[in-house]
Amino acid sequence: MRNIPVDTSSMSFTVAGEAEPKIVDRATGEVKKDAEGRDLYTLPLLPMPNDDRRNPVITVTFPSADFPQIQLGIKVRPVGLVCFFWQMNGRSGMGFRCEAVRPDTGKAA
């Protein structure tokens, strides 16, 4: 799987929903972990500018040591955002992953 870096320098992201743990097994509630053993979470973000009127929100996966407390509607910066193509059981799509989600202070990183 190839990760394609996303240039976010001219974009802003607004939190469009609550963070949720990425579940491996719904029966046990086991949370998926990254290679370093950190729990993975998903967060819906509204990127701007955005010309996709059918599905303007993207879901970004990121690791966190604690359950992330991220407020709905605030501007954030996904650090190290990458896009990747996935295919499984006859389904396919684009996924997004980042190393961290930080509040957007308006300053360049």
Side-chain angles (χ1 to χ4, degrees):
M1 170 174 59
R2 181 172 182 204
N3 290 328
I4 303 165
V6 177
D7 179 7
T8 61
S9 61
S10 64
M11 301 176 74
S12 66
F13 295 85
T14 302
V15 177
E18 295 182 10
E20 296 182 1
K22 191 164 182 87
I23 303 296
V24 174
D25 184 350
R26 297 225 179 265
T28 65
E30 179 186 358
V31 177
K32 188 172 184 174
K33 297 187 182 300
D34 69 358
E36 297 175 18
R38 300 174 293 183
D39 289 345
L40 292 174
Y41 295 89
T42 60
L43 183 67
L45 298 177
L46 176 62
M48 294 302 284
N50 189 327
D51 61 357
D52 188 351
R53 291 183 180 93
R54 292 175 297 147
N55 190 15
V57 174
I58 64 171
T59 300
V60 177
T61 301
F62 65 100
S64 183
D66 301 313
F67 192 92
Q69 301 295 319
I70 303 173
Q71 277 187 321
L72 178 68
I74 67 166
K75 297 240 187 253
V76 294
R77 184 175 48 90
V79 178
L81 184 64
V82 296
C83 179
F84 59 92
F85 177 78
W86 60 266
Q87 190 171 19
M88 184 183 337
N89 299 329
R91 298 174 49 218
S92 61
M94 299 296 288
F96 295 91
R97 186 174 306 146
C98 68
E99 185 55 35
V101 176
R102 305 272 185 252
D104 188 352
T105 60
K107 298 177 184 174

